[in-house]
Amino acid sequence: MTSGAPTDTAAAIAVAPTPQRIGVPREIFPGEKRVATVPDVVTKLVKLGFGVVVETGAGDLADLSDDAYREAGASIAGSTTELWNNSDIVFKVRAPTPDEVALMHEGQTIIGFLWPAQNPELMQQLAARKVTALSIDALPRTLSRAQKMDALTSMAGVSGYRAVVEAANAFGRFFNGQITAAGKVQPAKVFIAGAGVAGLAAIGAAASLGAIVRANDTRAEVADQVVSLGGEFVKVDYEEEGSGGGGYAKVMSEGFQAAQREMYAQQAKDVDIIITTALIPGKPAPKLITAEMVRSMKPGSVIVDMAAEQGGNCELTVPGEAVVRHGVTIVGYTDLASRMARQSSTLYGTNLFRLTEELCKTKDGVINVNMEDDAIRGLTVVKDGEITWPAPPLVVAAKPAAKPAGPAVEKKGGHGHGSTGPLPAKNLAIIFGVGALAFWFIGAYAPAAFLGHFTVFVLACFIGYMVVWNVTPALHTPLMSVTNAISSIIAIGALVQIAPPDPSAGGRPAELIHWLAFVGITLTAINMFGGFSVTRRMLAMFRK
């Protein structure tokens, strides 16, 4: 009997899963400075149970040293081959090259920007190696819980900010207006085509620099977002809804595009800087800025084409370069996020960590690619050597059926339970009559002192209601309305009682009331003026 115990223990040990190792290779795409994770994220991955190995020099271009990774708990691989051979999971930024795919082994998992629609050959190569591939760009962005893993949004935000920095670098004047002894400087005018994540980031950055910012988007619902960031929404004089699936814009009709081109032509003549962000997944970038529009712009103007990698929104864009055409600098850099490598790497690494949390809910260092999970299923483009892209469309929960309308409630002269209109004249007259009778009774039989206090009380309640309680809820919370109405009552009552003491009352009790009234006025003043001061400071946070 005793001989069975060690056998059971050994079996339990054998069943326990072995923690997997996450490998982070050095990116070899020309000009790519980002790295798939950072030391701060390595610490979190280790706490999930994973081992982390980083190729030597992987973070050098993002100002992240090998020593920083070691201190966070990662080991350093001396070569690319060593990294790929000793990793169960590989985190990458750019899609793997054929040489990198050749280093992969069966059962390995790769996570990164794979772009399956644009890289069908890569999908075949990965399937041939019998690996599992998760493409972070295929994440279903309509799922609210997927936002923490949305690397596209993270990178777009960095790119939008960097686009404004590049525009400022190429622009020969201030962004903000100034009045100096040397003269007046007009603020720069910036027009942003497309108000998605990148466009909104650009709007916020340009507005914070003091420029006059205008923006346009085919999706009408983003107009409020543009205004909230300090921009002006420029509407196309054509009625058509431009919202597409997955949070993207759709291809618009010819009529809309013609009206849009006319609006762009007008803006090009007036503004100093144009930033274009228009992209539709899987399709070449739409041409929004024609050569004629560029020719009409003022000398020294700047165009930053954020869609340059997909062909560009401007006809004269040269991908990867900044060129001057007709006196206008056209910036077509395709590595805007990489130009802020450390910030981009931190955000991207955090996105991959959140994804890893979803893949390893047991926190035992072993991932589980659950194809029943909508978010994970959307990301998975190759599963154990089988191409699973594209994912089936998400099942949208059906809206609950409308309840059948009940029988109409009869309304006769405002009587009955279904009446929601004003009180009939007869009932209103009765209420006023009863109220007048009550006031007459109080005035006829109550002492004169009580009547005076009662009058002050009624007036204080009326003033408190009209001045404070009756303020629209958008400007005042109900709780603040109540407290300030009470403060108004206290202030008016205390002002009446603070009159000089009545000698006939013996002096001391009246003097006590006098000082209590003074304390009441002091505390009420602190409450009311303090509330106004706090409110003023809160409102100042939302003003430029």
Side-chain angles (χ1 to χ4, degrees), residues 331-351:
V331 179
Y333 298 148
T334 58
D335 59 347
L336 291 173
S338 183
R339 287 172 179 255
M340 300 185 71
R342 183 156 187 165
Q343 181 67 77
S344 298
S345 300
T346 300
L347 295 175
Y348 183 65
T350 302
N351 292 139

Side-chain angles (χ1 to χ4, degrees), residues 166-187:
E166 296 295 341
N169 180 59
F171 190 52
R173 294 195 290 108
F174 295 135
F175 264 48
N176 64 320
Q178 296 185 16
I179 299 177
T180 68
K184 182 178 180 181
V185 179
Q186 295 291 341

Side-chain angles (χ1 to χ4, degrees), residues 346-363:
T346 300
L347 295 175
Y348 183 65
T350 302
N351 292 139
L352 293 189
F353 167 69
R354 296 302 182 189
L355 171 58
T356 308
E357 282 185 317
E358 292 294 316
L359 292 169
C360 181
K361 294 184 178 180
T362 54
K363 298 184 180 180

Side-chain angles (χ1 to χ4, degrees), residues 125-163:
Q125 293 169 4
L126 292 172
R129 304 298 295 184
K130 296 184 178 180
V131 301
T132 296
L134 278 68
S135 185
I136 197 70
D137 51 273
L139 179 73
R141 303 174 78 184
T142 53
L143 295 175
S144 58
R145 67 183 183 86
Q147 293 178 1
K148 61 184 179 182
M149 303 178 276
D150 191 355
L152 281 175
T153 293
S154 299
M155 297 302 100
V158 175
S159 298
Y161 179 90
R162 184 68 190 194

Side-chain angles (χ1 to χ4, degrees), residues 95-381:
T97 63
D99 290 339
E100 289 176 317
V101 173
L103 294 174
M104 299 188 71
H105 56 263
E106 183 177 348
Q108 201 169 34
T109 299
I110 184 170
I111 304 174
F113 284 108
L114 306 181
W115 303 106
Q118 290 86 353
N119 296 311
E121 292 182 2
L122 174 61
M123 298 298 103
Q124 296 293 339
Q125 293 169 4
L126 292 172
R129 304 298 295 184
K130 296 184 178 180
V131 301
T132 296
L134 278 68
S135 185
I136 197 70
D137 51 273
L139 179 73
R141 303 174 78 184
T142 53
L143 295 175
S144 58
R145 67 183 183 86
Q147 293 178 1
K148 61 184 179 182
M149 303 178 276
D150 191 355
L152 281 175
T153 293
S154 299
M155 297 302 100
V158 175
S159 298
Y161 179 90
R162 184 68 190 194
V164 176
V165 174
E166 296 295 341
N169 180 59
F171 190 52
R173 294 195 290 108
F174 295 135
F175 264 48
N176 64 320
Q178 296 185 16
I179 299 177
T180 68
K184 182 178 180 181
V185 179
Q186 295 291 341
K189 296 179 181 179
V190 180
F191 177 72
I192 297 171
V197 176
L200 292 174
I203 292 168
S208 66
L209 289 174
I212 296 173
V213 184
R214 304 168 187 162
N216 168 260
D217 197 281
T218 57
R219 297 160 291 187
E221 64 268 19
V222 304
D224 291 339
Q225 300 176 39
V226 171
V227 174
S228 69
L229 290 170
E232 174 192 350
F233 188 78
V234 182
K235 193 174 183 298
V236 177
D237 189 18
Y238 193 97
E239 293 298 330
E240 183 176 351
E241 176 54 43
S243 295
Y248 295 97
K250 70 175 185 180
V251 178
M252 307 301 287
S253 66
E254 285 296 331
F256 182 92
Q257 293 182 35
Q260 187 181 53
R261 283 192 295 270
E262 183 179 350
M263 183 269 289
Y264 283 162
Q266 295 173 355
Q267 293 296 324
K269 295 176 183 178
D270 184 49
V271 302
D272 304 296
I273 297 168
I274 295 178
I275 299 175
T276 64
T277 70
L279 275 176
I280 298 174
K283 297 185 179 182
K287 299 300 180 185
L288 305 179
I289 308 299
T290 65
E292 185 61 32
M293 294 180 194
V294 175
R295 196 175 292 109
S296 70
M297 296 181 72
K298 293 173 283 190
S301 297
V302 177
I303 297 175
V304 180
D305 193 340
M306 294 184 62
E309 193 166 7
Q310 300 298 325
N313 296 136
C314 177
E315 288 183 348
L316 303 181
T317 296
V318 178
E321 298 181 22
V323 298
V324 179
R325 298 288 185 268
H326 308 297
V328 177
T329 301
I330 304 173
V331 179
Y333 298 148
T334 58
D335 59 347
L336 291 173
S338 183
R339 287 172 179 255
M340 300 185 71
R342 183 156 187 165
Q343 181 67 77
S344 298
S345 300
T346 300
L347 295 175
Y348 183 65
T350 302
N351 292 139
L352 293 189
F353 167 69
R354 296 302 182 189
L355 171 58
T356 308
E357 282 185 317
E358 292 294 316
L359 292 169
C360 181
K361 294 184 178 180
T362 54
K363 298 184 180 180
D364 57 358
V366 178
I367 64 170
N368 174 31
V369 181
N370 181 12
M371 299 296 276
E372 300 299 321
D373 185 307
D374 288 339
I376 304 303
R377 176 63 186 89
L379 286 168
T380 307
V381 295

